[in-house]
């Protein structure tokens, strides 16, 4: 450009442009072409470079004024024989997005050189008219004009935008053929093209073809490509290689590298890169924003705020990054404060800012603040942004206001996107509206929308029947999400939940890439369905394959170890936890406390509890639960009293196990005091606390208080409904129990095996034989629940109480698996009531075969003989009992 400007400074034809008459149409005083600053204009306009540069910087740089300048140049006759002037005017049209005028001017230029061709291609690219850019390149290929590296770089950018890797590779081949193999424009262009079309390995091969020691552009391209393809560790490795050479990174390099550090949550490396940025003085607004995002997502909000406060100017992305950081930490107060400062500064607020604020509100359950933001959203016209409305749906659903969520969803019918459907399905799922979640999913399919990974995962989380699960599995395959890790994790978790562990494990094994969530889900699936040893084997396999442990996998394996009561293996896992540095983690500590409690090692559980640097309500609740389950009721209540004396916030997790302890103590007085306390805190409406209150009053014999406690629950869950049904059954109110069961089914809550134990018990206590058979068959046919020994025992008890002993015996003989001592003992108890010695003798032998040391069978049979006056048989039973080693525990009384 300097050479061109030197050549044209002495061009006589251009002297005509110094006349104020030529420049007359422009009226801006700072660039006055109207005659008022005629002398000043004459001085600067002798150089065409100065003229056009000043024009581009002026406020009058528009299509209309460019046309006026074009007309004046035509009138003076200097345009078509002065290539430089024509090229500058062409560039003006392109920069003004007037491509039609630019193309007309280009066609009238006698001989368009490569620079002019490149201007047109770049102009089309800037307006995202990439097909026209490609067509113009093809026209250029047909002409006699030579291409340069700028040409190839620009058209490769167009191919990238068009997602046309084949065309791009053809262009690259032509560029290589014409000798541009070492051009940074060309090589960075093809690297970007390949990377954005998921051909990262090919991009690496292009990068390695020629040494890159002196080409920052190509280094930047490959680092950016690695980040875009999720190869963040590779991006950091390439950055280190670049730094070891003679090249100095620039702001584009740093932005990509900081993004890689953020993706892998490596704050230590991020701080090292930050040092490089300071050393190179490259902390511009984009790099600064990337650094804020790094520190915020690594939970170092102090570091993020220092960078934010030090930045000379911030854009909307910077403000949003800092708000998002506070939102992720749940610090809604700080997020709100930053949001107010952003509004006061006059900075533009976009939908990402608003969704970050709504995320903060949802994490802290601050519906009031969310409602205020909702009003601001309506006032400034953001209610038509799908992402904003989707965030509002989540906020309201988190507070249990599912009606508001559904109203918002209905109002956005004309502009719904995938995130809208995801949010609504998730909202129904989290509020136990499983049928509504499935219904919305089906409507989504009927409208021709393909579910994405989020909606599919949400749907799979609520599927609890195998038939429906298989249908959704088919949709997963059809939608091409079968290889997505999160969807497959939800898929095999669904099969685990439905009891199909074989299918679950087969899907898990077929996963090409397994993340820690997948391993943790499969380990939990084995553990929760009675296959704890398989869970441990899977955990060992995970370790042998070199996967790093995290909170999820540690908690999953500790659950399995606790259920197995493997104290030694639990201590080994504890040692691994300490070595990995998770010893101070409250969540892991809570799992350790629970594991040691289930292994009856309460001293170790208490030691872990005392060693935690921070003890929260969840950890305390774990130890309270451990004390309760191991019969140390006084210790459980004492620990809860200690919690009350501290600053711990009492929540449902800490109250529920204490209520369980009180229930075991049968201390209704303490239970009523606790009820008053939780009512004061507003926790009596919580599903878990309410369910514990229902169970306590039920077992303490106060059915009216049981009903009142249930009525206080805002949204009863399955446990609460089951507890209420069991309460009615225990108090002989079978009809009420069945009505409650029917009412539960209308609330989209699906009964589980425990619920059917409750309703079958209600039928048994009230002699409802026909209803019992109907429910037993419904359990299998309608809900796919395979009956276990407890369900069969309930049916045997029902038939036995009705005096149908022979029918009960046939029912047992038809069982698909071997009945245990509990089932035979139930029949034996019925025989004792009805005095059936023969069948009672048979049932007693079956009990003894199953559990030889069970004294109950001997005692029941002895009582049958005693009731019939057959004392000789009573003596024989007692002698036989002694010979078998069975011992009757002596009775005792508190009086």
């Amino acid at each position: 450009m300097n050479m061109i400007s030197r050549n044209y400074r002495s061009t006589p034809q251009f002297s005509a442009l110094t006349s104020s008459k030529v420049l007359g149409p422009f009226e801006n005083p700072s660039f006055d072409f109207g005659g008022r600053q005629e002398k000043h204009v004459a001085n600067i306009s002798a150089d065409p470079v100065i003229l056009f540069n000043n024009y581009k910087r002026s406020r009058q740089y528009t299509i209309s004024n460019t046309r006026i300048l074009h007309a004046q140049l035509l009138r003076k006759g200097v345009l078509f024989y002065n290539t430089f002037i024509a090229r500058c005017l062409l560039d003006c049209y392109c920069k003004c997005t007037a491509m039609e005028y630019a193309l007309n001017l280009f066609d009238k230029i006698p001989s368009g050189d490569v620079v002019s061709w490149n201007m047109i291609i770049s102009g089309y690219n800037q307006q995202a008219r990439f097909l026209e850019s490609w067509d113009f390149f093809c026209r250029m290929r047909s002409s006699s004009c030579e291409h340069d590296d700028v040409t190839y770089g620009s058209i490769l950018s167009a191919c990238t935008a068009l997602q046309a890797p084949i065309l791009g590779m053809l262009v690259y081949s032509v560029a290589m053929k014409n000798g541009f193999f070492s051009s940074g424009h060309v090589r960075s262009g093809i690297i970007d093209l390949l990377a954005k079309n998921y051909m990262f390995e090919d991009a690496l091969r292009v990068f390695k073809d020629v040494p890159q020691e002196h080409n920052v552009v190509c280094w930047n391209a490959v680092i950016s490509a690695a980040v875009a393809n999720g190869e963040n560790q590779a991006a950091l490795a390439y950055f280190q290689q670049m730094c070891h050479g003679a090249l100095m990174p620039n702001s584009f390099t740093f932005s990509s590298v900081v993004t890689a550090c953020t993706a892998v949550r490596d704050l230590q490396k991020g701080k090292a890169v930050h040092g490089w940025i300071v050393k190179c003085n490259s902390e511009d607004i984009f790099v600064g924003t990337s650094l804020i995002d790094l520190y915020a997502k690594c939970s170092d909000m102090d570091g993020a705020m220092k960078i934010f406060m030090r930045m000379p100017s911030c854009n909307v992305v910077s403000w949003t990054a800092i708000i998002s950081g506070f939102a992720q930490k749940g610090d809604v107060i700080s997020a709100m404060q930053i949001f107010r400062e952003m509004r006061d500064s006059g900075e533009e607020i976009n939908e990402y800012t608003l969704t970050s604020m709504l995320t903060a509100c949802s994490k802290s359950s601050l519906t009031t603040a969310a409602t205020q933001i909702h009003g601001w959203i309506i006032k400034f016209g953001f209610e038509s942004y799908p992402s904003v409305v989707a965030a509002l749906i989540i906020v309201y659903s988190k507070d249990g206001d599912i009606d508001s969520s559904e109203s918002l969803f209905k109002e956005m019918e004309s502009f719904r996107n995938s995130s809208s459907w995801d949010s609504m399905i998730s909202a129904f799922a989290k509020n136990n509206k499983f049928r509504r979640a499935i219904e919305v999913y089906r409507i989504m399919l009927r409208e021709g929308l393909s579910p994405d990974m989020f909606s599919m995962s949400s749907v799979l989380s609520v599927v609890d029947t195998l038939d429906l699960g298989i249908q959704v599995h088919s949709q997963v395959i059809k939608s091409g999400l079968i290889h997505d890790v999160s969807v497959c994790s939800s898929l095999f978790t669904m099969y685990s939940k439905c009891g199909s562990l074989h299918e679950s494990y087969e899907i898990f094994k077929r996963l090409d890439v397994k993340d820690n969530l997948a391993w943790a889900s499969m380990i939990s699936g084995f553990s929760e369905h009675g296959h704890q040893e398989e869970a441990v084997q899977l955990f060992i396999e995970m370790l042998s394959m070199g996967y790093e442990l995290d909170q999820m996998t540690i908690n999953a394996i500790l659950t399995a170890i606790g259920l197995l009561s493997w104290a030694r293996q639990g201590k080994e896992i504890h040692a691994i936890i300490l070595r990995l540095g998770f010893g101070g983690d409250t969540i892991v500590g809570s799992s350790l406390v629970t594991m040691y409690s289930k292994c009856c090692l309460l001293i170790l559980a208490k030691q872990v509890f005392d060693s935690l640097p921070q003890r929260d309500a969840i950890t305390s609740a774990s130890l309270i639960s451990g004390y309760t389950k191991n019969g140390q009721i006084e210790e459980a209540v004492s620990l809860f009293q200690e919690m009350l004396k501290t600053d711990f916030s009492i929540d449902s997790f800490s109250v529920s196990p204490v209520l369980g302890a009180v229930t075991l103590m049968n201390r209704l007085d303490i239970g009523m005091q606790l009820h008053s306390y939780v009512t004061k805190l507003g926790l009596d409406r919580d599903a878990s606390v309410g369910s514990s209150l229902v169970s306590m009053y039920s077992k303490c014999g106060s059915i009216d208080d049981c009903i009142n406690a249930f009525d206080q629950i805002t949204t009863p869950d399955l446990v609460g409904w089951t507890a209420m049904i069991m309460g009615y059954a225990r108090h002989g109110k079978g009809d009420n129990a069945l009505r409650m069961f029917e009412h539960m089914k209308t609330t989209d809550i699906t009964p589980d095996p425990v619920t059917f134990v409750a309703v079958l018990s209600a039928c048994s206590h009230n002699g409802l034989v026909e209803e019992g058979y109907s429910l037993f068959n419904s359990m299998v046919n309608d809900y796919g629940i395979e009956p276990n020994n407890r369900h069969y025992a309930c049916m045997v008890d029902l038939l036995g109480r009705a005096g149908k002993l022979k029918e009960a015996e046939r029912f047992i003989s038809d069982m698909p698996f071997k009945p245990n001592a509990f089932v035979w003992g139930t029949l034996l108890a019925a025989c004792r009531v009805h005095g059936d010695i023969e069948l009672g003798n048979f049932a007693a032998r079956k009990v003894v075969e199953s559990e030889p040391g069970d004294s109950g069978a001997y005692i029941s049979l002895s009582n049958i003989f005693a009731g019939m006056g057959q004392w000789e048989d009573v003596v024989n039973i007692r002698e036989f009992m002694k010979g078998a080693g069975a011992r009757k525990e002596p009775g005792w009384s508190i009086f």
Side-chain angles (χ1 to χ4, degrees):
M1 181 65 76
N2 291 336
M3 184 178 295
I4 293 173
S5 99
R6 283 199 302 271
N7 291 338
Y8 280 101
R9 282 195 181 105
S10 59
T11 304
Q13 294 87 344
F14 194 75
S15 61
L17 288 178
T18 61
S19 169
S20 61
K21 295 179 181 179
V22 176
L23 306 174
F26 297 90
E27 299 175 355
N28 191 317
S30 64
F31 193 66
D32 195 339
F33 288 80
R36 286 171 294 178
Q37 298 181 7
E38 194 169 312
K39 183 177 179 182
H40 176 67
V41 172
N43 289 334
I44 64 168
S45 59
D47 189 335
V49 177
I50 296 175
L51 174 68
F52 279 99
N53 283 345
N54 287 345
Y55 170 53
K56 291 177 183 178
R57 285 195 297 267
S58 74
R59 295 182 180 178
Q60 302 299 326
Y61 184 41
T62 64
I63 297 175
S64 177
N65 286 338
T66 303
R67 291 180 63 195
I68 293 171
L69 179 58
H70 187 177
Q72 296 292 347
L73 291 171
L74 286 172
R75 188 161 64 88
K76 292 299 179 182
V78 296
L79 184 61
F80 294 120
Y81 59 84
N82 192 314
T83 308
F84 177 76
I85 296 173
R87 188 188 300 158
C88 289
L89 183 62
L90 183 66
D91 186 49
C92 288
Y93 275 127
C94 291
K95 292 291 196 307
C96 291
T97 69
M99 291 307 299
E100 285 70 19
Y101 292 110
L103 197 58
N104 288 335
L105 175 60
F106 176 85
D107 290 337
K108 292 175 182 177
I109 295 175
S111 58
D113 58 1
V114 66
V115 177
S116 303
W117 286 91
N118 290 345
M119 284 180 181
I120 298 293
I121 294 174
S122 297
Y124 279 131
N125 282 355
Q126 288 168 12
Q127 295 184 50
R129 296 164 65 174
F130 301 109
L131 280 174
E132 290 163 282
S133 179
W134 174 259
D135 290 340
F136 195 75
F137 172 72
C138 294
R139 175 182 165 184
M140 183 180 182
R141 286 276 299 160
S142 302
S143 71
S144 59
C145 183
E146 295 291 335
H147 309 71
D148 62 7
D149 57 342
V150 177
T151 312
Y152 292 120
S154 298
I155 201 61
L156 283 171
S157 297
C159 292
T160 302
L162 290 169
Q163 295 183 332
I166 297 176
L167 292 180
M169 286 186 282
L170 288 173
V171 172
Y172 182 64
S173 300
V174 173
M176 293 298 99
K177 179 181 178 182
N178 292 335
F180 292 99
F181 54 85
S182 61
S183 167
H185 289 292
V186 177
R187 298 180 66 75
S188 62
I190 190 64
I191 289 171
D192 187 51
L193 169 77
L194 295 171
K196 288 182 178 176
N197 284 278
Y198 310 102
M199 303 167 71
F200 182 60
E201 294 298 327
D202 294 325
L204 283 182
R205 280 194 289 271
V206 172
F207 175 74
K208 295 174 181 177
D209 281 346
V210 176
Q212 306 295 324
E213 286 83 356
H214 306 291
N215 197 324
V216 177
V217 177
C218 288
W219 280 103
N220 287 347
V222 78
I223 292 171
S224 175
V227 173
N229 282 267
E231 301 287 345
N232 297 292
Q233 295 293 353
L236 295 174
Y238 281 116
F239 175 68
Q240 288 179 334
Q241 292 178 32
M242 179 182 180
C243 293
H244 290 156
L247 293 176
M248 185 64 68
N250 57 23
S251 59
F252 187 87
T253 319
F254 288 126
S255 294
S256 298
V257 174
V258 171
T259 302
C261 293
T262 305
V264 297
R265 301 295 191 269
D266 194 335
L267 185 58
Q268 185 176 359
K269 287 184 180 177
K271 288 181 176 179
V273 176
H274 191 178
W276 262 94
I277 292 169
V278 174
K279 179 180 178 181
C280 298
N281 194 25
S282 297
E283 195 170 348
D284 59 18
I285 190 170
F286 302 106
V287 175
T289 301
S290 298
L291 285 169
I292 290 172
D293 193 43
L294 166 70
Y295 282 93
K297 287 183 176 173
C298 291
S299 300
D300 185 359
M301 290 309 299
D302 290 336
M305 279 301 296
K306 287 178 183 177
I307 298 168
F308 181 75
M309 298 300 293
R310 198 167 57 241
M311 291 176 66
S313 63
C314 298
N315 59 13
V316 63
V317 183
S318 312
W319 286 95
T320 302
I322 201 77
I323 290 173
S324 178
F326 283 121
Q328 294 303 317
K329 282 193 70 176
D331 188 353
V332 67
I333 304 301
S334 298
M336 289 290 289
Q337 182 179 350
I338 298 293
F339 181 66
R340 291 192 190 99
E341 292 177 9
M342 182 180 181
R343 288 171 55 194
D344 294 340
S345 71
E347 182 61 62
E348 173 196 6
I349 292 175
N350 61 20
E351 66 269 29
Y352 303 106
T353 317
L354 293 171
T355 52
S356 296
M357 278 305 308
L358 291 170
T359 299
C361 294
S362 67
K363 282 182 173 290
S364 303
S365 299
L366 291 180
T367 311
T368 304
T371 304
Q372 295 175 0
I373 297 173
H374 190 177
W376 193 93
I377 287 168
I378 295 172
K379 180 179 178 181
F380 289 93
F382 281 95
E383 72 273 17
S384 61
Y385 285 73
S387 60
V388 175
V389 181
L392 279 170
I393 289 172
I394 293 297
V395 172
Y396 286 120
S397 68
K398 286 278 185 71
D399 195 53
D401 189 1
I402 194 67
D403 292 334
S404 295
S405 295
E406 193 167 8
S407 296
L408 284 168
F409 182 73
K410 289 177 180 177
E411 289 172 4
M412 63 183 304
E413 183 175 1
S414 61
F415 57 92
R416 291 173 187 161
N417 63 3
S418 59
S419 66
S420 313
W421 292 93
D422 297 341
S423 300
M424 197 65 247
I425 293 170
S426 176
F428 279 129
K430 290 177 180 176
N431 282 269
N432 297 322
K433 304 286 185 180
F434 299 150
R435 292 184 182 177
R436 293 288 290 121
I438 297 297
E439 181 182 341
V440 171
Y441 171 70
R442 285 173 172 159
I443 294 172
M444 179 182 176
L445 293 180
R446 282 201 298 270
E447 293 192 2
L449 298 172
S450 297
D452 60 13
M453 64 185 73
F454 302 106
S455 55
M456 194 64 81
S457 297
S458 296
V459 169
L460 287 168
S461 70
V462 304
V463 172
D464 54 3
T465 59
L466 194 56
D467 289 341
L468 180 58
I470 292 172
Q471 293 177 39
V472 178
H473 187 177
S474 301
Q475 186 63 39
V476 169
I477 297 172
K478 182 180 178 180
S479 60
L481 294 172
I482 192 63
H483 298 295
D484 182 82
V485 178
S486 61
V487 173
C488 280
S489 296
S490 300
L491 188 59
F492 64 70
T493 300
M494 179 274 295
Y495 276 115
S496 297
K497 185 170 60 178
C498 294
S500 300
L501 279 178
H502 176 74
E503 289 81 359
S504 176
Y505 188 51
E506 287 300 317
I507 294 171
F508 174 78
K509 287 193 298 184
R510 286 198 296 267
L511 269 177
D512 296 328
V513 179
K514 301 180 180 71
D515 59 5
N516 279 28
L517 176 61
W519 286 98
S521 299
M522 195 66 246
I523 291 170
S524 297
F526 278 130
S527 179
E528 292 169 3
H529 290 82
H531 296 269
Q532 290 83 20
E533 293 188 17
E534 287 84 348
V536 175
Q537 289 299 321
L538 194 62
F539 176 73
I540 294 171
E541 180 183 342
M542 177 184 176
L543 291 179
S544 66
M545 295 178 68
Y547 283 91
E548 294 184 3
L549 299 182
D550 60 4
Q551 284 182 345
M552 293 183 296
T553 49
I554 289 173
N555 291 336
I557 192 59
L558 285 174
T559 300
I561 295 293
L563 292 171
L564 289 168
S565 298
W566 284 2
R568 182 177 64 82
Q569 289 82 353
K571 292 177 182 178
E572 292 174 355
I573 300 295
H574 192 177
I576 294 174
I577 290 169
L578 294 175
R579 189 174 73 247
L580 292 174
F582 287 110
D585 187 274
T586 53
I587 297 176
V588 174
S590 176
S591 298
L592 277 170
V593 169
T594 303
M595 182 272 295
Y596 280 129
S597 299
K598 289 183 178 179
C599 292
C600 301
L601 299 174
L602 287 172
I603 295 176
L604 287 176
K606 186 66 165 60
Q607 288 177 355
V608 172
F609 178 80
D610 293 337
S611 67
L612 290 173
Q614 290 183 337
R615 282 168 274 176
D616 60 4
I618 298 176
T619 313
S620 301
S622 298
L623 187 55
I624 291 172
S625 180
Y627 281 136
T628 302
K629 292 177 180 177
N630 284 275
Q632 299 185 22
I633 310 302
E634 294 181 2
E635 287 83 350
V637 176
S638 176
L639 181 58
F640 181 72
Q641 290 174 337
E642 289 181 18
M643 288 180 64
L644 295 178
K645 295 175 184 177
T646 62
D647 294 332
F648 283 161
S649 59
I650 304 301
D651 58 12
S652 58
F653 296 102
S654 51
V655 171
S656 296
V658 179
L659 288 170
V662 171
T663 303
L664 291 175
M665 294 170 67
N666 200 21
R667 290 292 302 272
L668 185 59
D669 54 339
I670 298 177
M672 294 178 71
Q673 294 178 35
L674 276 172
H675 191 177
S676 299
Y677 179 71
V678 299
T679 301
K680 180 180 178 181
L681 296 177
L683 293 175
D684 57 328
R685 298 179 180 276
D686 181 85
S688 61
V689 175
S691 300
S692 298
L693 286 169
V694 170
S695 296
M696 179 194 72
Y697 283 123
S698 171
K699 291 180 181 177
C700 291
S702 180
I703 187 63
D704 292 335
D705 289 326
C706 179
I707 296 170
N708 291 333
F710 180 82
D711 290 339
Q712 290 300 313
I713 303 174
T714 304
T715 307
D717 58 5
L718 179 60
V719 177
W721 285 100
T722 302
M724 192 65 241
I725 294 169
M726 187 64 78
Y728 278 130
R730 187 176 285 117
H731 288 79
K733 298 180 179 291
D735 291 336
N736 298 72
L738 294 182
R739 281 197 294 272
M740 182 64 67
F741 178 69
E742 293 300 323
H743 187 194
M744 183 196 79
K745 291 193 293 184
T746 64
T747 63
D748 293 337
I749 293 181
T750 304
D752 67 355
V754 180
T755 312
F756 276 102
V757 169
V759 291
L760 290 174
S761 297
C763 294
S764 175
H765 289 143
N766 291 269
L768 305 174
V769 177
E770 295 299 326
E771 290 84 349
Y773 268 118
S774 176
L775 287 166
F776 188 85
N777 293 328
S778 174
M779 177 173 61
V780 179
N781 299 329
D782 298 336
Y783 298 98
I785 299 174
E786 293 298 327
N788 56 33
N789 279 300
R790 286 185 61 83
H791 299 110
Y792 280 99
C794 287
M795 288 300 298
V796 170
D797 186 52
L798 170 63
L799 295 171
R801 286 173 185 260
K804 300 181 178 184
L805 299 180
K806 293 296 183 183
E807 188 174 342
E809 181 189 7
R810 287 196 300 272
F811 190 81
I812 295 174
S813 64
D814 291 338
M815 286 176 60
F817 50 85
K818 185 178 179 180
N820 63 5
F822 181 62
V823 176
W824 287 114
T826 304
L827 179 61
L828 177 58
C831 292
R832 175 188 172 185
V833 171
H834 294 282
D836 192 329
I837 298 177
E838 182 180 356
L839 186 56
N841 197 3
F842 174 74
R845 288 200 305 272
K846 290 294 184 180
V847 174
V848 172
E849 288 177 6
S850 301
E851 294 184 14
D854 182 13
S855 61
Y858 297 103
I859 300 302
S860 295
L861 188 58
S862 173
N863 290 337
I864 293 175
F865 284 126
M868 301 295 293
Q870 300 180 15
W871 300 107
E872 183 177 349
D873 292 322
V874 171
V875 173
N876 292 335
I877 288 293
R878 298 282 179 168
E879 292 297 325
F880 188 76
M881 178 178 171
K882 291 179 182 179
R887 180 174 177 272
K888 179 183 181 298
E889 294 294 333
W892 60 279
S893 172
I894 60 174
F895 300 105

